[in-house]
Amino acid sequence: WMAILVDAAVGLKGGALVSSIKSYVETGHPSVRQFIGSMLKEVAAPIIDQIKLWMTEGELQDNHGEFFIAEDRRVSFERLWTHKYKINFSMLPNFLTKELAEKILLTGKSINFIKKCCGEQDWALDPAVQPPFNDEVWTQDAFNFDYLTTWVDNASKVTNSELVSILFKKFKIKQHIQCIQKYLLLGQGDFMECLMDILPSELSTPAARLLRQNLIALVDTAVRSSNAQYEEPEFLNRLDVKLLEPSPGDDGWDIFSLDYRVDPPLNTILSSKAMREYLRVFNFLWRMKRVETSLTEVWILHLQSSKVLKVVPEVQEVLHVSQMLRHEMLHFIRNLHNYFTMEVLESSWKVFMVGLDSASDLDQLIDHHDQFLDEILKKALLIPAYDRLYKDLGKLFTLILRFKFTQDALQTSVWEEYHRRENMRNERELRDIEEDREEDEDYDDQESKICKQACSELKKIQVEYAQKIDEFHQNLITGSSEDHLKSLAFLLDFNEYYDKKRRKEDTEFDYAEDFESDRSRPAGLRP
């Protein structure tokens, strides 16, 4: 049997050698089984000792690559959790399951993370909380798997609990995530309103002329003007401004975003990839907020324009059509905003907070956070599968902003005409003369010019908006069977306005086709 074992072990080492010898333990002869078992115990002793050292102190003493946990010395400690340690399955003894090996890896990683990333260099697993280890792993020259499993479970529970406690208490990971929710996911409503009040004049400038320090100063002003001022400086000082790479023709709105700085060990959970995803969500929500604010500004313009109707009465019809279109756009945006606030952000946030509080190790913290982000990206239409819907939304946002610009132009023209007529009226009163026919014709020309220009552009926007909102709603209904898309489709058309409008248009179109078909038939063949 010795010769057989020697032949089988040629070229093997460490865990692979232990697996080779272990495969012969189940022989039926008692004396042979005892002989191989005693040999296995001696060969496996360094592996067992290394398991204990790894799980109590987080150290690897494996100069020849014989242990089943391998370290990549090239990887920095900033990526310790994800890249520095891994299981070398070719060295995994066959008396250990994959699940147990992963738990052993997790425990040692947690100890190293505590020491090297969390600054707790003196921390070590208290031997007092562990049962005896050495001889109890073997029972009559047989490996006691149940005993090792219990030992690993106890050590893992204590170590991972300590790591989670450090992240919550010392590094306040939950408070940092809550700040990201407030400022990058627009959860701090009064702060966002302040930003919307003070940023437009700066963001309306071309992107190339935008100065980051000016934006930072404005963000600080918004903080001092809102309840954000009561945030702890430890968190508030991490709030920053980030400017995206501009494209030709971009203005400040296109490149502005808020940012939240994170550093080790927080960046193990709030990774650079995760922060980029938060940036995408912020840009989308910020754009939607801008569109909603622009419609509120249009409402203010209409209120101001109502003051001049006595002097410029011909614009009343144009303003009425504009108000009806603004109401329809505002209905869409507010329902869309409610969907993202309640169906996407709030519901996902509640699930995430429950998961965060129940996490028992760092892997679970990372998984719960990643699931939260994935859920937001999916429901916010920010994944490749919903690219068509996202582009449809972008077109609607652009069209609403275009509507806002046309209303600005209309307002300017109306007020210019108002002041021109008021000046003429004042001049007449001073001269005490009546209008002559030439001045009446001049009035008519101005009236016609203002109304034609406004009506022409407004009609284009009205038709285009109706087409795009119908297309977006149709794509929501037919594009997927996902529940969140059905929910969004219902919110946008809860009173079936667009559905009834679509059916009416289809009926009129069918009637028109039938009418043309009848006209094209010979008279004797007509019904």
Side-chain angles (χ1 to χ4, degrees):
W1 279 99
M2 179 63 76
I4 293 174
L5 293 177
V6 170
D7 289 341
V10 172
L12 301 179
K13 63 179 182 178
L17 177 60
V18 172
S19 297
S20 176
I21 297 174
K22 173 75 167 52
S23 64
Y24 292 95
V25 168
E26 301 303 325
T27 182
H29 199 288
S31 61
V32 174
R33 185 166 61 248
Q34 184 177 4
F35 166 71
I36 296 176
S38 62
M39 183 175 289
L40 177 63
K41 180 178 180 180
E42 295 300 324
V43 174
I47 303 294
I48 300 300
D49 290 340
Q50 179 60 73
I51 289 176
K52 182 177 182 182
L53 181 65
W54 171 253
M55 293 194 64
T56 55
E57 299 182 27
E59 294 183 9
L60 285 177
Q61 294 180 355
D62 184 29
N63 296 328
H64 303 288
E66 297 177 330
F67 192 47
F68 61 89
I69 293 176
E71 176 185 7
D72 189 345
R73 299 182 183 278
R74 298 170 299 177
V75 176
S76 66
F77 288 121
E78 287 189 4
R79 299 195 299 159
L80 181 150
W81 192 262
T82 54
H83 293 84
K84 196 168 185 64
Y85 301 104
K86 64 179 181 179
I87 296 178
N88 180 5
F89 287 99
S90 65
M91 289 295 162
L92 180 64
N94 57 9
F95 59 76
L96 294 177
T97 63
K98 179 182 177 183
E99 291 74 16
L100 189 60
E102 289 176 344
K103 188 169 288 188
I104 292 171
L105 171 66
L106 176 65
T107 306
K109 278 202 310 182
S110 296
I111 294 175
N112 277 284
F113 196 87
I114 290 171
K115 289 182 175 181
K116 298 170 182 176
C117 299
C118 298
E120 302 289 333
Q121 291 86 352
D122 297 330
W123 190 90
L125 185 64
D126 186 359
V129 302
Q130 298 297 328
F133 183 78
N134 297 327
D135 295 333
E136 286 76 4
V137 176
W138 299 92
T139 304
Q140 296 180 349
D141 296 323
F143 181 72
N144 190 340
F145 179 79
D146 291 338
Y147 184 89
L148 180 63
T149 301
T150 302
W151 193 92
V152 169
D153 285 342
N154 289 336
S156 178
K157 183 178 179 180
V158 172
T159 304
N160 289 316
S161 177
E162 178 67 19
L163 174 54
V164 170
S165 177
I166 289 173
L167 288 173
F168 272 82
K169 294 178 180 178
K170 180 178 178 180
F171 292 100
K172 302 180 181 178
I173 181 63
K174 187 173 182 179
Q175 288 91 324
H176 286 290
I177 292 174
Q178 288 171 335
C179 282
I180 289 175
Q181 185 265 346
K182 289 178 182 177
Y183 303 116
L184 299 192
L185 301 183
L186 277 58
Q188 187 76 30
D190 58 340
F191 170 73
M192 290 302 153
E193 292 298 330
C194 289
L195 276 185
M196 276 295 173
D197 288 341
I198 63 178
L199 279 179
S201 59
E202 189 73 21
L203 295 182
S204 299
T205 60
R209 293 165 48 190
L210 209 60
L211 298 178
R212 183 170 171 272
Q213 58 267 31
N214 291 351
L215 294 174
I216 292 175
L218 291 174
V219 170
D220 288 340
T221 301
V223 167
R224 293 192 299 272
S225 303
S226 65
N227 286 328
Q229 64 182 304
Y230 303 113
E231 196 78 64
E232 292 182 36
E234 176 184 358
F235 308 113
L236 204 54
N237 292 338
R238 294 175 180 267
L239 188 61
D240 199 3
V241 170
K242 185 172 185 177
L243 298 180
L244 306 179
E245 191 67 30
S247 300
D250 282 352
D251 60 14
W253 290 104
D254 300 311
I255 66 170
F256 169 82
S257 67
L258 291 179
D259 194 17
Y260 192 84
R261 296 190 301 272
V262 293
D263 45 34
L266 297 175
N267 60 0
T268 301
I269 301 171
L270 303 171
S271 63
S272 56
K273 178 179 180 295
M275 297 311 296
R276 287 195 298 271
E277 301 295 4
Y278 277 121
L279 182 64
R280 289 180 61 205
V281 177
F282 172 83
N283 288 335
F284 176 75
L285 295 175
W286 179 250
R287 190 178 182 194
M288 183 166 60
K289 186 69 176 176
R290 178 197 178 190
V291 170
E292 184 178 7
T293 303
S294 71
L295 289 174
T296 303
E297 292 172 354
V298 170
W299 173 72
I300 295 173
L301 291 178
H302 289 166
L303 286 180
Q304 294 172 344
S305 297
S306 63
K307 300 176 182 178
V308 303
L309 290 180
K310 290 183 179 180
V311 180
V312 194
E314 64 273 12
V315 299
Q316 184 168 0
E317 183 178 351
V318 178
L319 288 177
H320 176 69
V321 175
S322 298
Q323 287 172 349
M324 296 298 291
L325 183 55
R326 184 191 68 84
H327 278 298
E328 186 176 350
M329 290 176 170
L330 194 60
H331 168 84
F332 166 70
I333 286 295
R334 284 183 174 169
N335 282 314
L336 189 68
H337 181 267
N338 290 338
Y339 165 76
F340 282 108
T341 301
M342 304 305 299
E343 301 287 336
V344 179
L345 298 177
E346 287 298 325
S347 60
S348 301
W349 179 256
K350 288 181 180 178
V351 174
F352 176 40
M353 286 295 102
V354 172
L356 199 66
D357 291 335
S358 64
S360 59
D361 59 57
L362 181 51
D363 273 341
Q364 289 186 14
L365 286 175
I366 294 172
D367 288 343
H368 286 305
H369 178 254
D370 289 347
Q371 289 170 14
F372 168 66
L373 256 182
D374 291 342
E375 187 75 3
I376 288 177
L377 292 171
K378 177 184 176 182
K379 290 185 176 180
L381 313 179
L382 295 174
I383 59 174
Y386 300 143
D387 189 56
R388 181 180 180 184
L389 289 171
Y390 181 73
K391 288 180 178 178
D392 288 344
L393 263 185
K395 292 175 183 177
L396 283 166
F397 289 170
T398 301
L399 190 60
I400 293 172
L401 292 175
R402 182 175 143 202
F403 170 72
K404 164 66 166 58
F405 298 146
T406 60
Q407 295 302 297
D408 286 339
L410 175 62
Q411 176 82 350
T412 301
S413 299
V414 168
W415 277 100
E416 286 178 352
E417 180 61 14
Y418 170 80
H419 290 302
R420 190 181 75 88
R421 293 185 185 184
E422 282 292 291
N423 290 336
M424 292 181 65
R425 184 177 65 82
N426 292 336
E427 289 178 3
R428 290 192 205 98
E429 290 177 353
L430 289 173
R431 298 174 186 172
D432 196 23
I433 60 174
E434 296 181 353
E435 293 178 48
D436 57 25
R437 186 168 183 78
E438 183 178 345
E439 288 175 342
D440 287 339
E441 291 175 356
D442 186 47
Y443 266 65
D444 293 339
D445 289 343
Q446 289 296 327
E447 293 175 8
S448 176
K449 185 178 180 181
I450 293 175
C451 291
K452 282 183 178 179
Q453 288 178 345
C455 286
S456 175
E457 185 62 22
L458 192 59
K459 185 66 176 177
K460 290 178 184 177
I461 293 175
Q462 195 173 26
V463 171
E464 192 174 347
Y465 179 78
Q467 291 173 344
K468 291 190 182 304
I469 193 68
D470 182 66
E471 181 181 347
F472 178 67
H473 193 259
Q474 283 285 82
N475 289 338
L476 275 177
I477 297 173
T478 61
S480 175
S481 59
E482 297 279 357
D483 289 341
H484 62 278
L485 295 185
K486 292 180 180 178
S487 176
L488 177 56
F490 174 77
L491 281 173
L492 295 180
D493 195 24
F494 64 89
N495 58 357
E496 299 184 349
Y497 168 77
Y498 294 111
D499 186 53
K500 292 176 182 176
K501 183 179 179 182
R502 191 183 306 114
R503 288 202 299 266
K504 180 181 178 182
E505 290 174 351
D506 290 342
T507 302
E508 291 175 351
F509 179 76
D510 292 340
Y511 175 79
E513 278 195 333
D514 292 341
F515 181 76
E516 288 298 324
S517 176
D518 290 343
R519 288 186 60 188
S520 64
R521 294 179 186 178
L525 297 179
R526 295 177 187 174

